[in-house]
Amino acid sequence: MTTTTTHPTIADVARQAGVSTATVSRVINKSGNVTADTIARVQAAIAALDYAPHSGARILASRRARTIGLITPTISDLFFTDLLRGIEQTVYEHDYTLLVHATHGRPYDNIIPTLPLNHHNTDGLIIFTNSVDDARLQKLHERHFPLVLLHRSPPAGTDIPCVTFENKDGAYRMTAHLIACGYRRIAFLAGPAENEDAQWREQGYREALVAHVLAVDPALIVPGDFNAGVAETAVIHLLQSQPDIQAIFAADDESARGALAAIRQSGRRVPQDIALAGFDDSLLSQYLHPPLTTVRAPIEAAGRAAAAQLIQLIHTGHADPLTLLPTELVIRESCGWRERNP
Amino acid sequence: MTTTTTHPTIADVARQAGVSTATVSRVINKSGNVTADTIARVQAAIAALDYAPHSGARILASRRARTIGLITPTISDLFFTDLLRGIEQTVYEHDYTLLVHATHGRPYDNIIPTLPLNHHNTDGLIIFTNSVDDARLQKLHERHFPLVLLHRSPPAGTDIPCVTFENKDGAYRMTAHLIACGYRRIAFLAGPAENEDAQWREQGYREALVAHVLAVDPALIVPGDFNAGVAETAVIHLLQSQPDIQAIFAADDESARGALAAIRQSGRRVPQDIALAGFDDSLLSQYLHPPLTTVRAPIEAAGRAAAAQLIQLIHTGHADPLTLLPTELVIRESCGWRERNP
DNA sequence: CTGTTAGCGCGTTCAG
DNA sequence: CTGAACGCGCTAACAG
């Protein structure tokens, strides 16, 4: 009982304009030579019929989609907004169209290995984090389908270009900042184990400690999940087991938010009793009390870079294997300064 | 210099499995009767070749896309996250795919009146606010293309189904609440003039005043734009010209945030000197200081309703002309209570 | 239960 | 500069 729809085709336009379908196709695609007069007639016919070319048929016939796709695990994230802004901006500047598909962790059809966005309807794909698994990435890449990875490194053995932040560097500098502020017992509230951003951030924390001749105490590294609730619980326990910690560096701002709640529950103050730092500079961070000191991640720039790389890849067959975007320390009020002796 | 890609077609699968393309099509679409044994052979061939059907060709041949589209002015909004979650959830429950396109106010191609998402690649469209103009809506609808409007009423003369909040009711109740709290000089910080949600909210405010025998003072209704910066400026002026106002009801939480900043700049306190209320219950609102009293808009539910209506429309040809989702007062701390005499 | 075949709407040779 | 004709990959009758 599906509703049916009737739309004019290129043949209707051709008839109305008194030309052949080939000519209509030429004016639509601005290809080949057509008389100004003929162009006008065809355009008039198109307008009169409100004709729109069938994209499926075009892709089928031309083998190009002039569209790029974005596959993401979820669209429901605060930073997604910025990412998308960057991607869209670049895509449209290049006169492409963007289609977005969120997987939400749904598995692929195990019989028909199809993604809603693929070579059939896009000329290339931006793959955000682990929305598509290694095996499929491999297959797509083997077939020379243009791919750019965002916040995820390429499967072993492939050279799929990828774009990400200088996570390690940012975490290193924030940790160094905390040390410079006089803190020594600095805990790290980690992110999801499988998340590469989180891994690099933890690595930056560790290296900064070592570089400043401070011990890396495993008891001070607690697992988190880029989630405020999880962080809150974790920090409540941390505060009990390690009452002497002076600062907490959270792997992302959401976790920092959870940590803040936990610290407050424990009756301590930020930053007087304990310093707190985050990572991302998400929208919320400036509204926390106290405003959160954090590492700003250039999310919009990452979106722009990914789109630019992909379009370049589509056109030239080449892209930079790795694009690393610099991060920036944003010092607000949650870190304070430890007056006491180190 | 476009990269080229080669992929197996249904013919390759048919050859590999030793059957006809029709049979392959049958197992892919689970249509018609096929021997279990044949099914297995075909599936093996599909797996071996990593075959994926060409969506353009399928749509062309079957005249169905099993996909619904969402057209939105922008994807960069805090509440968009919730809206999308609702839509996606429902879409996937019905075994459809969702494709999203953000217009960002870009005009259509004036020669070829094409939308990136249309009857060629979707079975129906959810149109969010004014991302598509009346004329195009009319055309699509005339051709019986399934459409559901979200936060936007149908063009005059059409009966395109639409989904929205009980904006007027929510604003009415919030205004009544402010009055019950003892406030009399209640300003309204309006939204964009062309935004229907904003219009209804203002209407609710006005009606509540009238119902409580309070005068509607035009000097207390100031234009805003669902934007914190605009609101801040507007409220700074308002506070100077109308120093006796007791409460401000902002048409959305973003504006409330701007108002809060303006009030603070003027040296007044919320809620002791002036009460503040918002609308939407956006993510930020609970983090403001004081936490914002607001009207919770059921955004995710709106997304679910829109998707459900559209899918029903696609399948049965009918949908509810109007779906109104109820709002809910969220009383936090920004409104206080006026002890003084009314 | 399976194969043959005719389009779906369009872009693209190739003639003229 | 323009038209005829083929084929892109697939589904949907229709046969058998």
Side-chain angles (χ1 to χ4, degrees):
Chain A
M1 195 58 38
T2 299
T3 317
T4 30
T5 307
T6 307
H7 292 265
T9 72
I10 197 171
D12 299 319
V13 176
R15 198 173 310 121
Q16 168 107 8
V19 298
S20 72
T21 60
T23 298
V24 176
S25 175
R26 287 191 188 99
V27 354
I28 290 174
N29 298 298
K30 303 180 186 22
S31 59
N33 299 336
V34 189
T35 316
D37 175 62
T38 309
I39 292 181
R41 288 219 315 289
V42 170
Q43 289 185 343
I46 288 174
L49 267 29
D50 192 45
Y51 163 76
H54 190 299
S55 50
R58 294 183 92 175
I59 294 172
L60 204 53
S62 71
R63 294 140 157 290
R64 276 180 295 105
R66 196 102 199 144
T67 295
I68 81 171
L70 167 64
I71 301 189
T72 163
T74 172
I75 215 166
S76 308
D77 252 312
L78 268 186
F79 70 83
F80 199 79
T81 279
D82 296 315
L83 182 70
L84 208 50
R85 189 181 6 255
I87 295 177
E88 287 184 322
Q89 190 180 315
T90 306
V91 165
Y92 294 129
E93 274 168 11
H94 290 265
D95 200 31
Y96 272 69
T97 292
L98 178 72
L99 253 20
V100 180
H101 176 73
T103 64
H104 287 276
R106 247 167 293 107
Y108 313 119
D109 183 324
N110 28 25
I111 306 300
I112 317 293
T114 259
L115 284 168
L117 255 26
N118 56 23
H119 56 280
H120 297 319
N121 44 23
T122 65
D123 298 328
L125 247 25
I126 295 177
I127 311 283
F128 186 49
T129 65
N130 38 22
S131 50
V132 176
D133 66 34
D134 275 24
R136 185 136 306 280
L137 241 30
Q138 291 265 23
K139 292 249 172 67
L140 253 15
H141 187 243
E142 277 166 14
R143 289 174 181 171
H144 308 292
F145 186 60
L147 254 28
V148 167
L149 271 22
L150 201 42
H151 290 254
R152 167 202 214 298
S153 48
T158 74
D159 58 341
I160 309 178
C162 66
V163 173
T164 191
F165 305 143
E166 282 191 346
N167 284 298
K168 192 178 83 167
D169 177 67
Y172 183 102
R173 283 157 56 217
M174 179 57 83
T175 308
H177 171 74
L178 290 169
I179 295 170
C181 284
Y183 305 113
R184 291 297 173 269
R185 294 283 290 165
I186 303 170
F188 185 76
L189 182 47
E194 74 287 0
N195 183 291
E196 294 186 13
D197 287 334
Q199 293 162 10
W200 285 115
R201 291 172 191 186
E202 177 171 336
Q203 187 60 25
Y205 158 81
R206 288 172 178 270
E207 292 185 11
L209 251 34
V210 171
H212 290 80
V213 203
L214 289 174
V216 175
D217 181 350
L220 294 190
I221 301 182
V222 305
D225 195 35
F226 282 178
N227 172 289
V230 171
E232 184 169 342
T233 308
V235 172
I236 287 175
H237 291 310
L238 175 68
L239 257 22
Q240 287 169 348
S241 62
Q242 307 288 332
D244 63 335
I245 61 174
Q246 301 163 334
I248 298 179
F249 179 15
D252 81 318
D253 285 3
E254 276 296 292
S255 297
R257 194 152 63 76
L260 183 58
I263 294 170
R264 204 163 269 153
Q265 279 177 50
S266 79
R268 294 178 228 208
R269 296 159 306 166
V270 172
Q272 298 89 333
D273 303 320
I274 194 162
L276 180 64
F279 202 117
D280 279 347
D281 194 24
S282 98
L283 187 55
L284 287 173
S285 310
Q286 56 186 302
Y287 299 110
L288 297 180
H289 282 256
L292 188 69
T293 285
T294 187
V295 182
R296 176 171 302 145
I299 300 174
E300 185 173 335
R304 278 200 304 272
Q309 291 292 328
L310 180 57
I311 289 171
Q312 182 189 320
L313 182 58
I314 291 169
H315 287 293
T316 70
H318 296 284
D320 301 335
L322 178 62
T323 306
L324 265 185
L325 282 330
T327 55
E328 179 191 350
L329 255 46
V330 179
I331 307 300
R332 288 199 271 250
E333 299 165 30
S334 66
C335 274
W337 180 271
R338 181 173 157 78
E339 307 283 354
R340 297 149 288 187
N341 75 326
Chain B
M1 194 55 40
T2 300
T3 317
T4 30
T5 307
T6 306
H7 293 265
T9 72
I10 197 171
D12 298 320
V13 175
R15 198 173 312 119
Q16 167 108 7
V19 297
S20 72
T21 60
T23 298
V24 175
S25 175
R26 287 190 189 100
V27 352
I28 291 174
N29 299 298
K30 302 180 184 29
S31 60
N33 298 336
V34 188
T35 316
D37 175 62
T38 309
I39 292 181
R41 286 220 314 289
V42 170
Q43 290 185 341
I46 288 175
L49 267 31
D50 192 45
Y51 163 77
H54 190 298
S55 51
R58 294 182 95 175
I59 295 172
L60 203 55
S62 71
R63 297 141 154 292
R64 275 180 295 103
R66 197 103 199 143
T67 294
I68 80 172
L70 168 64
I71 301 188
T72 164
T74 171
I75 215 166
S76 307
D77 253 312
L78 267 186
F79 69 83
F80 200 79
T81 279
D82 296 316
L83 182 71
L84 209 51
R85 189 179 10 252
I87 294 177
E88 288 185 320
Q89 190 180 316
T90 306
V91 166
Y92 295 129
E93 273 168 12
H94 290 265
D95 201 31
Y96 271 70
T97 291
L98 178 72
L99 252 20
V100 180
H101 176 73
T103 64
H104 288 275
R106 247 167 293 107
Y108 314 120
D109 183 325
N110 28 23
I111 304 301
I112 317 293
T114 259
L115 283 168
L117 256 26
N118 57 22
H119 56 282
H120 298 318
N121 45 22
T122 65
D123 298 330
L125 247 26
I126 296 176
I127 311 282
F128 186 48
T129 65
N130 38 22
S131 50
V132 175
D133 66 32
D134 276 24
R136 185 136 306 278
L137 242 30
Q138 290 265 23
K139 292 247 174 67
L140 253 16
H141 187 242
E142 275 166 15
R143 290 173 180 171
H144 308 292
F145 186 60
L147 253 29
V148 167
L149 271 22
L150 201 42
H151 290 254
R152 167 203 216 297
S153 48
T158 74
D159 57 341
I160 308 178
C162 66
V163 172
T164 190
F165 306 143
E166 281 191 346
N167 283 298
K168 192 178 83 166
D169 177 68
Y172 183 102
R173 283 157 55 218
M174 179 57 82
T175 308
H177 171 73
L178 291 169
I179 295 170
C181 284
Y183 306 113
R184 291 296 173 268
R185 295 282 291 164
I186 303 170
F188 185 75
L189 180 47
E194 75 287 358
N195 182 290
E196 295 187 12
D197 287 334
Q199 293 163 10
W200 285 113
R201 291 172 192 186
E202 177 171 337
Q203 186 60 24
Y205 158 82
R206 289 172 177 270
E207 292 186 12
L209 250 36
V210 170
H212 291 80
V213 203
L214 290 174
V216 175
D217 182 349
L220 294 189
I221 301 182
V222 305
D225 196 36
F226 282 178
N227 172 289
V230 170
E232 184 170 342
T233 309
V235 171
I236 288 174
H237 292 309
L238 175 68
L239 257 22
Q240 287 168 349
S241 63
Q242 306 288 331
D244 63 333
I245 61 174
Q246 302 164 333
I248 297 178
F249 178 16
D252 80 318
D253 285 2
E254 277 295 293
S255 298
R257 194 153 63 76
L260 183 57
I263 294 170
R264 204 162 268 153
Q265 280 176 46
S266 79
R268 293 179 230 208
R269 296 160 305 165
V270 173
Q272 297 89 334
D273 302 319
I274 192 162
L276 180 64
F279 203 120
D280 278 347
D281 193 25
S282 97
L283 188 55
L284 287 173
S285 310
Q286 55 186 302
Y287 299 110
L288 297 181
H289 282 255
L292 188 70
T293 286
T294 187
V295 182
R296 176 170 303 145
I299 300 174
E300 184 172 338
R304 277 200 304 272
Q309 290 293 328
L310 180 57
I311 289 171
Q312 183 188 321
L313 183 58
I314 291 169
H315 287 294
T316 71
H318 297 285
D320 301 335
L322 178 63
T323 306
L324 266 184
L325 281 330
T327 55
E328 180 190 349
L329 256 46
V330 180
I331 307 301
R332 289 199 269 249
E333 299 166 29
S334 67
C335 274
W337 181 272
R338 180 173 157 77
E339 306 283 355
R340 298 148 286 187
N341 75 326

